[in-house]
mmCIF file of all heavy atoms in Angstrom:
data_model
loop_
_atom_site.group_PDB
_atom_site.id
_atom_site.type_symbol
_atom_site.label_atom_id
_atom_site.label_comp_id
_atom_site.label_asym_id
_atom_site.label_seq_id
_atom_site.Cartn_x
_atom_site.Cartn_y
_atom_site.Cartn_z
ATOM 1 N N MET A 5 -0.412 -4.206 -37.338
ATOM 2 C CA MET A 5 -0.371 -4.976 -36.065
ATOM 3 C C MET A 5 -0.268 -3.950 -34.943
ATOM 4 O O MET A 5 0.532 -3.060 -34.949
ATOM 5 C CB MET A 5 0.854 -5.904 -36.105
ATOM 6 C CG MET A 5 0.966 -6.679 -34.796
ATOM 7 S SD MET A 5 1.271 -8.347 -35.297
ATOM 8 C CE MET A 5 0.885 -9.138 -33.746
ATOM 9 N N ALA A 6 -1.128 -4.180 -33.968
ATOM 10 C CA ALA A 6 -1.090 -3.315 -32.736
ATOM 11 C C ALA A 6 0.197 -3.321 -31.990
ATOM 12 O O ALA A 6 0.830 -4.389 -31.814
ATOM 13 C CB ALA A 6 -2.274 -3.717 -31.863
ATOM 14 N N LYS A 7 0.586 -2.151 -31.478
ATOM 15 C CA LYS A 7 1.769 -2.039 -30.706
ATOM 16 C C LYS A 7 1.443 -1.533 -29.238
ATOM 17 O O LYS A 7 2.395 -1.478 -28.479
ATOM 18 C CB LYS A 7 2.761 -1.128 -31.337
ATOM 19 C CG LYS A 7 3.273 -1.652 -32.718
ATOM 20 C CD LYS A 7 4.370 -0.835 -33.287
ATOM 21 C CE LYS A 7 4.808 -1.395 -34.600
ATOM 22 N NZ LYS A 7 5.760 -0.576 -35.296
ATOM 23 N N LEU A 8 0.265 -1.176 -29.063
ATOM 24 C CA LEU A 8 -0.148 -0.544 -27.757
ATOM 25 C C LEU A 8 -1.500 -1.228 -27.364
ATOM 26 O O LEU A 8 -2.384 -1.428 -28.149
ATOM 27 C CB LEU A 8 -0.343 0.951 -27.855
ATOM 28 C CG LEU A 8 -0.594 1.726 -26.654
ATOM 29 C CD1 LEU A 8 0.661 1.769 -25.795
ATOM 30 C CD2 LEU A 8 -0.890 3.208 -27.089
ATOM 31 N N ALA A 9 -1.673 -1.496 -26.099
ATOM 32 C CA ALA A 9 -2.968 -2.088 -25.630
ATOM 33 C C ALA A 9 -3.266 -1.500 -24.259
ATOM 34 O O ALA A 9 -2.452 -0.950 -23.570
ATOM 35 C CB ALA A 9 -2.817 -3.550 -25.534
ATOM 36 N N CYS A 10 -4.525 -1.628 -23.937
ATOM 37 C CA CYS A 10 -5.033 -1.256 -22.590
ATOM 38 C C CYS A 10 -5.836 -2.460 -22.198
ATOM 39 O O CYS A 10 -6.737 -2.994 -22.877
ATOM 40 C CB CYS A 10 -5.907 -0.074 -22.682
ATOM 41 S SG CYS A 10 -6.467 0.535 -21.058
ATOM 42 N N ALA A 11 -5.552 -3.000 -20.975
ATOM 43 C CA ALA A 11 -6.169 -4.139 -20.431
ATOM 44 C C ALA A 11 -6.321 -4.173 -18.947
ATOM 45 O O ALA A 11 -5.640 -3.388 -18.192
ATOM 46 C CB ALA A 11 -5.385 -5.412 -20.799
ATOM 47 N N SER A 12 -7.266 -4.981 -18.523
ATOM 48 C CA SER A 12 -7.487 -5.161 -17.010
ATOM 49 C C SER A 12 -7.244 -6.736 -16.895
ATOM 50 O O SER A 12 -7.373 -7.534 -17.802
ATOM 51 C CB SER A 12 -8.854 -4.811 -16.636
ATOM 52 O OG SER A 12 -9.045 -3.500 -16.703
ATOM 53 N N HIS A 13 -6.957 -7.159 -15.688
ATOM 54 C CA HIS A 13 -6.779 -8.539 -15.440
ATOM 55 C C HIS A 13 -7.133 -8.943 -13.939
ATOM 56 O O HIS A 13 -7.280 -8.131 -13.093
ATOM 57 C CB HIS A 13 -5.381 -9.048 -15.734
ATOM 58 C CG HIS A 13 -4.337 -8.758 -14.645
ATOM 59 N ND1 HIS A 13 -3.360 -9.601 -14.372
ATOM 60 C CD2 HIS A 13 -4.149 -7.636 -13.958
ATOM 61 C CE1 HIS A 13 -2.557 -9.096 -13.397
ATOM 62 N NE2 HIS A 13 -3.033 -7.903 -13.158
ATOM 63 N N ILE A 14 -7.336 -10.225 -13.814
ATOM 64 C CA ILE A 14 -7.598 -10.845 -12.532
ATOM 65 C C ILE A 14 -6.527 -11.913 -12.392
ATOM 66 O O ILE A 14 -6.432 -12.780 -13.248
ATOM 67 C CB ILE A 14 -8.981 -11.456 -12.399
ATOM 68 C CG1 ILE A 14 -10.135 -10.402 -12.610
ATOM 69 C CG2 ILE A 14 -9.143 -12.189 -11.103
ATOM 70 C CD1 ILE A 14 -11.534 -10.959 -12.808
ATOM 71 N N LEU A 15 -5.727 -11.783 -11.306
ATOM 72 C CA LEU A 15 -4.603 -12.696 -11.090
ATOM 73 C C LEU A 15 -4.937 -13.558 -9.819
ATOM 74 O O LEU A 15 -5.093 -13.016 -8.792
ATOM 75 C CB LEU A 15 -3.267 -11.948 -10.954
ATOM 76 C CG LEU A 15 -2.064 -12.766 -10.518
ATOM 77 C CD1 LEU A 15 -1.712 -13.690 -11.535
ATOM 78 C CD2 LEU A 15 -0.854 -11.836 -10.246
ATOM 79 N N VAL A 16 -4.814 -14.832 -10.012
ATOM 80 C CA VAL A 16 -5.024 -15.813 -8.835
ATOM 81 C C VAL A 16 -3.956 -16.846 -8.887
ATOM 82 O O VAL A 16 -3.207 -17.032 -9.942
ATOM 83 C CB VAL A 16 -6.458 -16.384 -8.847
ATOM 84 C CG1 VAL A 16 -7.474 -15.336 -8.603
ATOM 85 C CG2 VAL A 16 -6.742 -17.117 -10.203
ATOM 86 N N LYS A 17 -3.807 -17.661 -7.811
ATOM 87 C CA LYS A 17 -2.689 -18.629 -7.755
ATOM 88 C C LYS A 17 -2.942 -19.936 -8.560
ATOM 89 O O LYS A 17 -2.101 -20.548 -9.069
ATOM 90 C CB LYS A 17 -2.485 -19.007 -6.318
ATOM 91 C CG LYS A 17 -1.936 -17.801 -5.484
ATOM 92 C CD LYS A 17 -1.518 -18.277 -4.085
ATOM 93 C CE LYS A 17 -1.185 -17.131 -3.189
ATOM 94 N NZ LYS A 17 0.011 -16.374 -3.527
#
Side-chain angles (χ1 to χ4, degrees):
M5 179 128 195
K7 293 182 180 179
L8 187 70
C10 183
S12 294
H13 78 139
I14 300 169
L15 173 65
V16 293
K17 292 186 188 297

